[in-house]
Amino acid sequence: MTVAGSPGASAFERTLDRIGSDIVEGRLPPGAVCTVEELTVRTGHSRSVVREATRVLGGLGLLEGKAHVGHTVQPSERWDWLQPRVLRWSLASGRRDATLLAIRELRAATEPECARLAAHRRRDTDALELRAIGDALLDAAAVQDVEAFLDADLRLHRLLRQAAANPLLDRVGGAIDAALLDRVDRLAAGAIDLDDAALHRDLAVAVERRDGDAAAAAMRAIIVRTA
């Protein structure tokens, strides 16, 4: 997947990333009014690219456009905090600690119930895949393969949400994924905790056995140790 701001990112992605980051960091403060022309100069990209970026930012709640006025930067209370882009910008900003706390609280409020529902609603194919992912987590932890560990961790959480079959829980999953993806560049080699990996395997086994209470308990323990 191409990350906005990386060399392979499109002009649109770089423009969106630049303006979004500037808003979240406060370089474009709430109430500031920006014209397309000003944003074109700011980003170095064309008017058509800037217009598309402002359209997306409007959908995320960061900008509000009005004809003959421009685009007004919105306060953080208006932002769509469940959107991964917003969370990614916030995690890369001075808001990082507060954002991590909010995600930790969201995880504690939703993920144990998601695990419990998955235990009761999962299909046989879900159980087999969860067991395989649990094994992959243990294998990655044993050799301290950070990339493989985090990839398996992300797949496990996504599959649990799928197995829980609750669209509202799935809706908040993007915020959780953003936090898990944020760990990719921050978990140092040799830093994978074998006990954390074992807890994920315990979770997969509990779901396979349709033990909702054990699945919820395992998830709570994971959140306490890793959030």
Side-chain angles (χ1 to χ4, degrees):
M1 180 179 67
T2 300
V3 177
S6 68
S10 68
F12 163 73
E13 290 168 330
R14 294 196 300 274
T15 300
L16 181 62
D17 200 46
R18 170 65 188 275
I19 301 172
S21 296
D22 282 352
I23 292 172
V24 172
E25 284 279 16
R27 290 185 291 270
L28 286 173
V33 179
C34 309
T35 65
V36 169
E37 288 74 17
E38 289 169 340
L39 293 174
T40 297
V41 173
R42 188 181 194 90
T43 63
H45 292 291
S46 68
R47 290 169 59 89
S48 61
V49 169
V50 167
R51 284 197 186 96
E52 180 62 16
T54 57
R55 185 189 66 78
V56 173
L57 290 163
L60 296 174
L62 276 70
L63 287 176
E64 182 178 83
K66 290 185 178 180
H68 311 299
V69 174
H71 299 276
T72 304
V73 177
Q74 300 299 293
S76 60
E77 295 81 16
R78 299 284 301 276
W79 303 350
D80 186 349
W81 282 100
L82 292 181
Q83 288 291 336
R85 285 187 189 274
V86 176
L87 287 167
R88 178 169 56 79
W89 292 326
S90 190
L91 286 168
S93 76
R95 298 173 180 266
R96 176 176 175 77
D97 288 345
T99 304
L100 284 173
L101 175 60
I103 293 173
R104 186 179 304 121
E105 292 170 346
L106 176 67
R107 292 186 64 186
T110 61
E111 283 200 297
E113 179 63 10
C114 185
R116 187 186 69 79
L117 290 174
H120 294 305
R121 297 175 177 174
R122 59 88 174 156
R123 301 168 299 178
D124 290 344
T125 53
D126 295 330
L128 289 173
E129 190 173 352
L130 280 169
R131 174 65 76 101
I133 294 173
D135 290 340
L137 279 162
L138 286 175
D139 291 344
V143 297
Q144 291 295 311
D145 186 333
V146 172
E147 185 174 351
F149 180 84
L150 293 173
D151 175 70
D153 189 25
L154 186 63
R155 288 190 291 122
L156 183 142
H157 285 270
R158 286 176 172 170
L159 182 56
L160 279 174
R161 295 199 300 271
Q162 175 184 313
N166 183 310
L168 296 181
L169 287 174
D170 197 44
R171 175 69 176 83
V172 304
I176 294 167
D177 287 352
L180 296 175
L181 287 168
D182 181 68
R183 298 171 63 199
V184 171
D185 296 326
R186 300 178 187 274
L187 186 60
I192 301 173
D193 191 315
L194 295 178
D195 289 336
D196 292 341
L199 278 172
H200 284 77
R201 175 59 186 273
D202 291 345
L203 172 59
V205 170
V207 172
E208 181 180 25
R209 293 176 177 172
R210 297 191 186 278
D211 188 338
D213 290 340
M219 182 61 83
R220 281 192 290 271
I222 289 169
I223 294 168
V224 169
R225 291 179 62 90
T226 65

